[in-house]
Coordinates of all heavy atoms in Angstrom, one line a residue:
M172 N 94.2 73.4 96.6 CA 93.8 74.8 96.1 C 95.0 75.6 95.6 O 96.2 75.3 96.0 CB 93.2 75.6 97.2 CG 91.8 75.3 97.6 SD 91.3 76.7 98.6 CE 89.7 76.2 98.9
D173 N 94.8 76.4 94.7 CA 96.0 77.2 94.1 C 96.5 78.2 95.1 O 95.7 78.7 95.9 CB 95.4 78.0 92.8 CG 96.5 78.6 92.0 OD1 97.5 78.1 92.0 OD2 96.2 79.7 91.4
I174 N 97.7 78.5 95.0 CA 98.3 79.4 96.0 C 97.7 80.8 95.9 O 97.7 81.6 96.9 CB 99.9 79.4 95.9 CG1 100.5 80.2 97.0 CG2 100.3 80.2 94.6 CD1 101.6 79.5 97.7
N175 N 97.3 81.2 94.6 CA 96.7 82.6 94.4 C 95.4 82.8 95.3 O 95.2 83.9 95.7 CB 96.4 82.8 93.0 CG 97.7 83.1 92.3 OD1 98.7 83.4 92.8 ND2 97.7 82.7 90.9
I176 N 94.6 81.8 95.4 CA 93.5 81.8 96.3 C 93.7 82.1 97.7 O 93.1 83.0 98.3 CB 92.6 80.6 96.1 CG1 92.2 80.4 94.7 CG2 91.5 80.5 97.0 CD1 91.4 79.1 94.3
W177 N 94.7 81.5 98.3 CA 95.1 81.8 99.7 C 95.7 83.2 99.8 O 95.5 83.8 100.8 CB 96.2 80.8 100.1 CG 95.5 79.4 100.2 CD1 95.7 78.3 99.5 CD2 94.5 79.0 101.2 NE1 95.0 77.3 99.9 CE2 94.2 77.7 101.0 CE3 93.9 79.6 102.3 CZ2 93.3 77.0 101.7 CZ3 92.9 79.0 103.0 CH2 92.7 77.7 102.8
M178 N 96.5 83.7 98.8 CA 96.9 85.0 98.7 C 95.8 86.1 98.8 O 95.7 87.0 99.7 CB 97.8 85.3 97.5 CG 98.3 86.8 97.5 SD 99.2 87.2 95.9 CE 97.8 87.2 94.8
Y179 N 94.8 85.8 98.0 CA 93.5 86.7 98.0 C 92.9 86.6 99.4 O 92.5 87.7 99.9 CB 92.6 86.2 96.9 CG 92.9 86.6 95.6 CD1 93.0 85.7 94.5 CD2 93.2 87.9 95.1 CE1 93.4 86.0 93.2 CE2 93.5 88.3 93.9 CZ 93.7 87.4 92.9 OH 94.0 87.6 91.6
I180 N 92.7 85.4 99.9 CA 92.0 85.4 101.2 C 92.9 86.0 102.3 O 92.2 86.8 103.0 CB 91.8 83.9 101.5 CG1 90.8 83.2 100.6 CG2 91.3 83.7 103.0 CD1 90.7 81.8 100.7
A181 N 94.1 85.9 102.3 CA 94.9 86.6 103.2 C 94.9 88.1 103.2 O 94.8 88.8 104.2 CB 96.4 86.1 103.2
V182 N 95.0 88.6 101.9 CA 94.9 90.0 101.7 C 93.6 90.6 102.0 O 93.5 91.7 102.7 CB 95.3 90.4 100.2 CG1 95.0 91.9 99.9 CG2 96.8 90.1 100.0
F183 N 92.5 89.9 101.7 CA 91.1 90.4 102.0 C 91.0 90.4 103.6 O 90.3 91.3 104.1 CB 90.1 89.6 101.3 CG 90.0 89.9 99.9 CD1 89.6 88.8 99.0 CD2 90.3 91.1 99.3 CE1 89.5 89.1 97.5 CE2 90.2 91.4 97.9 CZ 89.8 90.3 97.1
A184 N 91.5 89.4 104.3 CA 91.3 89.3 105.7 C 92.1 90.4 106.4 O 91.6 91.0 107.3 CB 91.8 87.9 106.1
A185 N 93.2 90.7 105.8 CA 94.1 91.8 106.3 C 93.3 93.1 106.1 O 93.4 93.9 107.0 CB 95.5 91.8 105.8
Q186 N 92.7 93.3 105.0 CA 92.0 94.5 104.7 C 90.7 94.8 105.6 O 90.5 95.8 106.1 CB 91.5 94.6 103.3 CG 92.7 94.5 102.2 CD 93.4 95.7 102.3 OE1 93.1 96.9 102.6 NE2 94.8 95.5 102.3
V187 N 90.1 93.6 105.9 CA 88.9 93.7 106.8 C 89.5 94.0 108.2 O 88.8 95.0 108.9 CB 88.2 92.4 106.8 CG1 87.1 92.3 107.9 CG2 87.5 92.2 105.5
I188 N 90.4 93.4 108.7 CA 91.0 93.6 110.0 C 91.5 95.0 110.1 O 91.2 95.8 111.1 CB 92.0 92.5 110.4 CG1 91.3 91.2 110.6 CG2 92.7 92.9 111.6 CD1 92.2 90.1 110.6
G189 N 92.3 95.4 109.3 CA 93.0 96.8 109.3 C 92.0 97.8 109.2 O 92.0 98.9 109.8
G190 N 91.1 97.7 108.2 CA 90.0 98.7 107.9 C 89.1 98.9 109.1 O 88.7 99.9 109.5
A191 N 88.7 97.7 109.7 CA 87.9 97.8 111.0 C 88.5 98.5 112.1 O 87.9 99.2 112.8 CB 87.5 96.4 111.3
I192 N 89.8 98.3 112.4 CA 90.6 98.9 113.4 C 90.7 100.3 113.2 O 90.5 101.1 114.0 CB 92.1 98.1 113.5 CG1 91.8 96.8 114.1 CG2 92.9 99.1 114.5 CD1 93.1 95.9 114.2
A193 N 91.0 100.7 111.9 CA 91.1 102.1 111.6 C 89.9 102.8 111.8 O 89.8 104.0 112.3 CB 91.6 102.3 110.1
L194 N 88.8 102.3 111.3 CA 87.5 102.9 111.5 C 87.0 103.0 112.9 O 86.3 103.9 113.4 CB 86.5 102.3 110.6 CG 86.7 102.6 109.1 CD1 85.7 101.9 108.2 CD2 86.6 104.1 108.8
A195 N 87.5 102.0 113.7 CA 87.1 102.0 115.2 C 87.9 103.1 115.9 O 87.4 103.9 116.8 CB 87.6 100.7 115.9
V196 N 89.2 103.3 115.4 CA 90.0 104.4 116.0 C 89.3 105.7 115.6 O 89.2 106.6 116.4 CB 91.4 104.4 115.4 CG1 92.2 105.6 115.7 CG2 92.1 103.2 116.0
F197 N 88.8 105.9 114.3 CA 88.1 107.1 113.9 C 86.8 107.3 114.8 O 86.6 108.4 115.4 CB 87.6 107.0 112.5 CG 86.5 107.8 112.1 CD1 86.6 109.2 112.0 CD2 85.3 107.3 112.0 CE1 85.5 110.1 111.8 CE2 84.1 108.1 111.7 CZ 84.3 109.5 111.6
S198 N 86.1 106.3 115.1 CA 84.9 106.5 115.9 C 85.3 107.0 117.3 O 84.6 107.8 117.8 CB 84.2 105.1 116.0 OG 83.7 104.7 114.7
S199 N 86.3 106.3 117.8 CA 86.8 106.8 119.2 C 87.2 108.3 119.2 O 86.8 109.1 120.2 CB 87.9 105.9 119.6 OG 88.4 106.5 120.9
I200 N 88.0 108.7 118.2 CA 88.5 110.1 118.1 C 87.3 110.9 117.8 O 87.2 112.1 118.4 CB 89.5 110.2 117.0 CG1 90.9 109.4 117.4 CG2 89.9 111.7 116.8 CD1 91.9 109.3 116.3
H201 N 86.4 110.6 117.0 CA 85.3 111.5 116.6 C 84.3 111.7 117.9 O 83.8 112.8 117.9 CB 84.5 110.8 115.4 CG 83.3 111.6 115.0 ND1 83.4 112.7 114.3 CD2 82.0 111.3 115.1 CE1 82.3 113.2 114.0 NE2 81.4 112.5 114.5
M202 N 84.2 110.7 118.7 CA 83.4 110.9 119.9 C 83.9 112.1 120.8 O 83.2 112.7 121.4 CB 83.2 109.7 120.7 CG 82.3 108.7 120.0 SD 82.1 107.0 120.9 CE 82.3 107.4 122.6
N203 N 85.3 112.2 120.8 CA 85.9 113.1 121.7 C 86.0 114.4 121.1 O 85.8 115.5 121.8 CB 87.3 112.7 122.2 CG 87.2 111.4 123.1 OD1 86.3 111.3 123.7 ND2 88.2 110.6 122.9
N204 N 86.3 114.6 119.7 CA 86.6 115.8 119.1 C 86.3 115.6 117.7 O 86.9 114.8 116.9 CB 88.0 116.1 119.3 CG 88.4 117.6 118.7 OD1 87.6 118.0 117.8 ND2 89.4 118.2 119.2
R205 N 85.2 116.3 117.2 CA 84.8 116.1 115.8 C 85.7 116.5 114.7 O 86.0 115.8 113.8 CB 83.5 116.9 115.6 CG 82.3 116.4 116.2 CD 81.0 117.2 115.9 NE 80.8 117.3 114.5 CZ 79.7 116.9 113.8 NH1 78.8 116.3 114.5 NH2 79.6 117.0 112.6
T206 N 86.6 117.6 114.9 CA 87.5 118.1 114.0 C 88.7 117.1 113.9 O 89.0 116.8 112.7 CB 88.1 119.5 114.5 OG1 87.0 120.4 114.6 CG2 89.0 120.0 113.5
K207 N 89.2 116.7 115.0 CA 90.2 115.6 114.9 C 89.7 114.4 114.3 O 90.4 113.6 113.7 CB 90.7 115.3 116.2 CG 91.6 116.5 116.8 CD 92.2 116.2 118.2 CE 93.0 117.3 118.7 NZ 93.5 117.1 120.1
G208 N 88.4 114.1 114.5 CA 87.8 112.8 114.0 C 87.8 112.9 112.5 O 88.1 111.9 111.8
F209 N 87.4 114.1 111.9 CA 87.4 114.2 110.5 C 88.7 114.3 109.9 O 88.9 113.7 108.8 CB 86.4 115.4 110.2 CG 85.0 115.3 110.3 CD1 84.4 116.1 111.1 CD2 84.4 114.2 109.7 CE1 82.9 115.9 111.3 CE2 83.0 114.0 109.9 CZ 82.3 114.8 110.7
V210 N 89.7 114.8 110.6 CA 91.0 114.8 110.0 C 91.6 113.3 110.0 O 92.2 112.9 109.0 CB 92.0 115.7 110.9 CG1 93.4 115.3 110.6 CG2 91.7 117.2 110.8
S211 N 91.4 112.5 111.1 CA 91.7 111.2 111.1 C 90.9 110.4 110.0 O 91.6 109.5 109.4 CB 91.5 110.5 112.5 OG 90.1 110.4 112.7
L212 N 89.7 110.7 109.7 CA 89.1 110.1 108.7 C 89.6 110.3 107.3 O 89.6 109.5 106.4 CB 87.5 110.5 108.7 CG 86.6 109.8 107.7 CD1 86.5 108.2 107.9 CD2 85.2 110.5 107.8
A213 N 89.9 111.5 107.1 CA 90.6 111.8 105.8 C 91.9 111.1 105.6 O 92.2 110.7 104.5 CB 90.9 113.5 105.8
I214 N 92.7 111.0 106.6 CA 93.9 110.3 106.5 C 93.6 108.8 106.2 O 94.3 108.2 105.4 CB 94.8 110.4 107.9 CG1 95.3 111.8 108.0 CG2 95.9 109.4 107.8 CD1 95.9 112.2 109.3
I215 N 92.6 108.2 107.0 CA 92.2 106.9 106.7 C 91.8 106.6 105.3 O 92.1 105.7 104.6 CB 91.1 106.4 107.7 CG1 91.7 106.3 109.1 CG2 90.5 105.1 107.3 CD1 90.7 106.2 110.2
I216 N 90.9 107.6 104.8 CA 90.5 107.5 103.4 C 91.6 107.5 102.4 O 91.6 106.8 101.5 CB 89.4 108.5 103.1 CG1 88.1 108.2 103.9 CG2 89.1 108.7 101.6 CD1 87.0 109.3 103.8
L217 N 92.6 108.4 102.7 CA 93.6 108.4 101.7 C 94.4 107.2 101.7 O 94.9 106.6 100.6 CB 94.6 109.6 102.1 CG 94.0 111.0 101.7 CD1 95.0 112.1 102.3 CD2 93.9 111.2 100.3
G218 N 94.6 106.6 102.9 CA 95.4 105.3 103.0 C 94.6 104.2 102.3 O 95.2 103.3 101.7
M219 N 93.2 104.2 102.4 CA 92.6 103.1 101.8 C 92.4 103.3 100.3 O 92.5 102.3 99.5 CB 91.1 103.2 102.4 CG 90.9 102.6 103.8 SD 89.3 102.7 104.4 CE 89.4 101.9 106.0
I220 N 92.4 104.6 99.7 CA 92.5 104.8 98.3 C 93.9 104.3 97.9 O 93.9 103.7 96.7 CB 92.2 106.2 98.0 CG1 90.8 106.6 98.3 CG2 92.7 106.6 96.6 CD1 90.5 108.2 98.2
Y221 N 94.9 104.6 98.5 CA 96.2 104.1 98.1 C 96.2 102.6 98.1 O 96.7 102.0 97.2 CB 97.2 104.7 99.1 CG 98.6 104.1 98.7 CD1 99.4 104.5 97.6 CD2 99.1 103.1 99.5 CE1 100.6 104.1 97.3 CE2 100.5 102.6 99.3 CZ 101.1 103.0 98.2 OH 102.4 102.5 97.9
S222 N 95.7 101.9 99.1 CA 95.6 100.6 99.1 C 94.7 99.9 98.0 O 95.1 98.9 97.5 CB 94.9 100.1 100.5 OG 94.9 98.7 100.6
V223 N 93.7 100.6 97.6 CA 92.8 100.0 96.5 C 93.6 100.2 95.2 O 93.6 99.3 94.3 CB 91.4 100.8 96.5 CG1 90.8 100.5 95.2 CG2 90.7 100.4 97.7
F224 N 94.3 101.3 94.9 CA 95.1 101.4 93.8 C 96.2 100.4 93.8 O 96.5 99.8 92.6 CB 95.7 102.8 93.7 CG 94.8 103.8 93.2 CD1 94.5 105.0 93.8 CD2 94.2 103.7 91.9 CE1 93.6 105.9 93.4 CE2 93.2 104.6 91.4 CZ 93.0 105.7 92.1
Q225 N 96.8 100.0 94.8 CA 97.8 99.0 94.9 C 97.2 97.6 94.6 O 97.7 96.8 93.9 CB 98.5 98.9 96.2 CG 99.4 100.1 96.4 CD 100.5 100.2 95.4 OE1 101.2 99.2 95.2 NE2 100.8 101.4 94.9
G226 N 95.9 97.4 95.1 CA 95.2 96.2 94.7 C 94.9 96.0 93.3 O 95.0 94.9 92.8
F227 N 94.5 97.2 92.6 CA 94.2 97.1 91.2 C 95.6 96.8 90.4 O 95.5 96.3 89.4 CB 93.6 98.4 90.7 CG 92.1 98.4 90.9 CD1 91.5 99.2 91.8 CD2 91.2 97.6 90.1 CE1 90.0 99.2 91.9 CE2 89.9 97.6 90.2 CZ 89.3 98.3 91.2
T228 N 96.8 97.2 91.0 CA 97.9 97.0 90.2 C 98.3 95.4 90.2 O 98.9 94.9 89.3 CB 99.1 97.8 90.7 OG1 99.3 97.4 92.1 CG2 99.0 99.2 90.5
L229 N 97.8 94.8 91.3 CA 98.0 93.3 91.4 C 97.1 92.5 90.4 O 97.4 91.8 89.7 CB 97.8 92.7 92.8 CG 98.9 93.3 93.9 CD1 98.4 92.8 95.2 CD2 100.2 92.7 93.4
S230 N 95.7 92.8 90.6 CA 94.7 92.3 89.7 C 93.3 93.0 89.9 O 93.2 93.7 90.9 CB 94.4 90.8 90.0 OG 93.8 90.6 91.2
Q231 N 92.5 93.0 88.9 CA 91.3 93.6 89.0 C 90.3 93.0 90.0 O 89.7 93.8 90.8 CB 90.6 93.5 87.6 CG 89.4 94.4 87.5 CD 88.7 94.4 86.0 OE1 89.3 93.5 85.2 NE2 87.9 95.3 85.8
T232 N 90.4 91.7 90.2 CA 89.7 91.1 91.2 C 90.1 91.6 92.6 O 89.2 91.8 93.5 CB 89.9 89.6 91.2 OG1 89.6 89.1 89.9 CG2 89.1 88.8 92.1
M233 N 91.3 91.7 92.9 CA 91.9 92.3 94.1 C 91.4 93.7 94.5 O 90.8 94.0 95.5 CB 93.4 92.3 94.2 CG 94.0 92.6 95.6 SD 93.9 91.4 96.7 CE 95.0 90.2 96.1
G234 N 91.4 94.6 93.4 CA 91.0 96.0 93.5 C 89.5 96.0 93.8 O 89.0 96.8 94.6
I235 N 88.7 95.3 93.1 CA 87.2 95.3 93.2 C 86.8 94.8 94.5 O 86.0 95.3 95.3 CB 86.5 94.6 92.1 CG1 86.8 95.2 90.8 CG2 85.1 94.3 92.4 CD1 86.3 94.5 89.6
G236 N 87.5 93.7 95.0 CA 87.2 93.1 96.3 C 87.5 94.0 97.5 O 86.8 94.2 98.3
M237 N 88.7 94.7 97.3 CA 89.0 95.7 98.4 C 88.1 96.9 98.4 O 87.7 97.4 99.5 CB 90.5 96.2 98.1 CG 91.5 95.2 98.3 SD 93.1 95.6 97.6 CE 93.8 96.5 98.9
T238 N 87.6 97.4 97.2 CA 86.6 98.5 97.1 C 85.3 98.0 97.9 O 84.8 98.8 98.7 CB 86.3 98.8 95.7 OG1 87.6 99.1 95.0 CG2 85.4 99.8 95.6
F239 N 84.9 96.8 97.6 CA 83.6 96.4 98.2 C 83.9 96.2 99.8 O 82.9 96.5 100.6 CB 83.1 95.1 97.6 CG 82.4 95.2 96.4 CD1 82.9 94.5 95.3 CD2 81.3 96.1 96.3 CE1 82.2 94.6 94.1 CE2 80.7 96.2 95.1 CZ 81.1 95.5 93.9
I240 N 85.0 95.8 100.3 CA 85.3 95.6 101.6 C 85.2 97.0 102.3 O 84.6 97.3 103.4 CB 86.6 95.0 101.8 CG1 86.6 93.4 101.6 CG2 87.2 95.2 103.3 CD1 87.9 92.7 101.5
Y241 N 85.9 97.9 101.7 CA 85.9 99.3 102.3 C 84.6 100.0 102.3 O 84.2 100.6 103.2 CB 87.0 100.2 101.6 CG 88.4 99.8 102.0 CD1 89.3 99.8 101.0 CD2 88.8 99.4 103.2 CE1 90.7 99.4 101.3 CE2 90.0 99.1 103.6 CZ 91.1 99.1 102.5 OH 92.3 98.7 102.9
L242 N 83.8 99.8 101.2 CA 82.4 100.3 101.3 C 81.6 99.8 102.3 O 80.8 100.4 103.0 CB 81.7 100.2 99.8 CG 82.4 101.0 98.7 CD1 81.7 100.5 97.3 CD2 82.3 102.5 98.9
F243 N 81.7 98.4 102.5 CA 81.0 97.8 103.6 C 81.3 98.4 105.1 O 80.5 98.6 105.8 CB 81.2 96.2 103.4 CG 80.5 95.5 104.7 CD1 79.2 95.3 104.7 CD2 81.3 94.9 105.7 CE1 78.6 94.6 105.7 CE2 80.8 94.3 106.7 CZ 79.5 94.2 106.8
L244 N 82.6 98.4 105.1 CA 83.2 98.9 106.4 C 82.7 100.4 106.7 O 82.4 100.7 107.8 CB 84.7 98.8 106.6 CG 85.3 97.4 106.6 CD1 86.8 97.5 106.6 CD2 84.8 96.8 107.9
F245 N 82.7 101.2 105.7 CA 82.2 102.6 105.8 C 80.7 102.6 106.1 O 80.3 103.4 106.9 CB 82.5 103.5 104.5 CG 83.9 104.0 104.5 CD1 84.7 103.6 103.4 CD2 84.4 104.7 105.5 CE1 86.0 104.1 103.4 CE2 85.8 105.3 105.5 CZ 86.5 104.9 104.3
A246 N 80.0 101.8 105.5 CA 78.5 101.7 105.8 C 78.2 101.2 107.2 O 77.4 101.9 107.9 CB 77.9 100.7 104.7
V247 N 78.9 100.3 107.7 CA 78.8 99.8 109.1 C 79.1 100.9 110.0 O 78.4 101.0 111.0 CB 79.7 98.5 109.4 CG1 79.7 98.2 110.8 CG2 79.1 97.3 108.5
T248 N 80.3 101.5 109.7 CA 80.7 102.6 110.7 C 79.7 103.8 110.7 O 79.4 104.4 111.7 CB 82.1 103.3 110.2 OG1 83.1 102.1 110.3 CG2 82.6 104.2 111.1
Y249 N 79.2 104.1 109.4 CA 78.2 105.2 109.5 C 76.9 104.9 110.2 O 76.4 105.8 111.0 CB 77.7 105.5 107.9 CG 76.7 106.3 107.8 CD1 76.7 107.7 107.9 CD2 75.4 105.9 107.5 CE1 75.7 108.6 107.8 CE2 74.3 106.7 107.4 CZ 74.4 108.0 107.6 OH 73.3 108.9 107.4
F250 N 76.4 103.7 110.1 CA 75.2 103.3 110.8 C 75.5 103.2 112.3 O 74.5 103.7 113.1 CB 74.5 102.1 110.3 CG 74.0 102.3 109.0 CD1 74.5 101.7 107.9 CD2 72.9 103.1 108.8 CE1 73.8 101.8 106.6 CE2 72.3 103.3 107.6 CZ 72.8 102.6 106.5
I251 N 76.6 102.9 112.7 CA 77.0 102.8 114.3 C 77.1 104.2 114.7 O 76.5 104.5 115.8 CB 78.3 102.0 114.5 CG1 78.0 100.6 114.1 CG2 78.9 102.3 115.8 CD1 79.4 99.7 114.3
Q252 N 77.7 105.1 114.0 CA 77.8 106.6 114.4 C 76.5 107.2 114.5 O 76.3 107.9 115.4 CB 78.7 107.3 113.4 CG 80.2 106.9 113.5 CD 80.8 107.4 114.7 OE1 81.0 106.5 115.8 NE2 81.1 108.6 114.9
R253 N 75.7 106.9 113.4 CA 74.3 107.4 113.5 C 73.4 107.0 114.7 O 72.8 107.8 115.3 CB 73.5 107.1 112.1 CG 72.3 107.9 111.9 CD 71.7 107.7 110.6 NE 71.0 106.5 110.7 CZ 70.3 105.9 109.7 NH1 70.3 106.5 108.5 NH2 69.6 104.9 109.9
R254 N 73.6 105.7 114.9 CA 72.9 105.2 116.2 C 73.4 105.8 117.4 O 72.6 106.1 118.3 CB 73.0 103.6 116.2 CG 72.1 103.1 117.3 CD 72.0 101.6 117.2 NE 72.9 100.9 116.2 CZ 73.7 99.8 116.5 NH1 73.7 99.4 117.7 NH2 74.3 99.3 115.6
K255 N 74.7 105.9 117.5 CA 75.2 106.7 118.8 C 74.8 108.0 118.9 O 74.5 108.5 120.0 CB 76.8 106.6 118.6 CG 77.4 105.2 118.9 CD 78.9 105.3 119.0 CE 79.5 104.0 119.3 NZ 81.0 104.0 119.3
K256 N 74.8 108.7 117.6 CA 74.2 110.1 117.7 C 72.8 110.2 118.1 O 72.4 111.1 118.9 CB 74.4 110.7 116.4 CG 74.2 112.2 116.4 CD 74.6 113.0 115.0 CE 74.4 114.4 115.2 NZ 75.1 115.0 114.0
E257 N 71.9 109.3 117.7 CA 70.5 109.4 118.0 C 70.3 108.9 119.4 O 69.4 109.5 120.1 CB 69.7 108.3 117.1 CG 69.6 108.7 115.7 CD 69.1 107.6 114.8 OE1 68.9 106.5 115.3 OE2 68.8 107.9 113.7
S258 N 71.2 108.2 120.0 CA 71.1 107.8 121.4 C 71.7 108.8 122.4 O 71.6 108.7 123.6 CB 71.7 106.4 121.7 OG 73.1 106.4 121.6
G259 N 72.4 109.8 121.9 CA 72.9 110.9 122.6 C 74.3 110.7 123.1 O 74.9 111.5 123.9
I260 N 75.0 109.5 122.6 CA 76.4 109.3 123.0 C 77.3 110.3 122.4 O 78.2 110.8 123.0 CB 76.8 107.9 122.7 CG1 75.9 106.9 123.4 CG2 78.1 107.7 122.9 CD1 76.1 105.5 123.0
I261 N 77.0 110.7 121.2 CA 77.8 111.7 120.5 C 76.9 112.9 120.3 O 75.7 112.9 120.0 CB 78.1 111.2 119.0 CG1 79.0 110.0 119.0 CG2 78.9 112.3 118.2 CD1 79.2 109.3 117.7
S262 N 77.5 114.1 120.6 CA 76.7 115.3 120.4 C 76.7 115.8 119.0 O 77.5 115.6 118.2 CB 77.1 116.4 121.4 OG 78.6 116.6 121.1

C-alpha cells in the first residue's frame, strides 16, 4: 500500500478518537452545568473547525473526511444527550 493511505488512516483514526473524547468531556460537563457545557462545546467546535481547515490544506479528501467524521460524532452526541434528557438524567 501507498504511504499516503496509511497517513489518511492514521489521521482519521486520531480525529475519531480525539473528537469522541472531546465530546465525552462536553457531555460530562454539560450534565453538571449547562452554561459551562455550552462554553466547552464552543471551544470544541472552534478546535474542530480549525482542524478541518488544516485538513483541507493537506488535501480535499482529508478535509471532507474530517468533516464527515465530526458530523457523525456530533450526531451521536446529540442523540445520546437527548436520550439522557428524556430519561431524566439531565434536567
Side-chain angles (χ1 to χ4, degrees):
M172 282 193 180
D173 191 32
I174 191 133
N175 287 334
I176 293 173
W177 291 110
M178 179 187 71
Y179 285 123
I180 292 170
V182 170
F183 289 148
Q186 296 300 317
V187 169
I188 293 168
I192 291 172
L194 292 173
V196 169
F197 156 73
S198 295
S199 175
I200 293 171
H201 182 71
M202 282 178 33
N203 296 327
N204 187 334
R205 287 181 61 115
T206 304
K207 288 181 181 178
F209 287 123
V210 169
S211 69
L212 182 62
I214 293 168
I215 291 168
I216 289 173
L217 289 174
M219 288 180 174
I220 289 172
Y221 176 76
S222 178
V223 167
F224 278 122
Q225 291 299 313
F227 273 112
T228 60
L229 292 173
S230 73
Q231 189 174 12
T232 306
M233 183 76 71
I235 291 170
M237 293 166 88
T238 302
F239 282 125
I240 288 170
Y241 289 141
L242 289 175
F243 174 75
L244 289 174
F245 278 123
V247 168
T248 302
Y249 170 76
F250 288 116
I251 289 172
Q252 290 291 98
R253 192 173 83 180
R254 188 171 2 133
K255 285 181 181 180
K256 188 170 186 170
E257 289 172 356
S258 67
I260 296 173
I261 300 174
S262 57

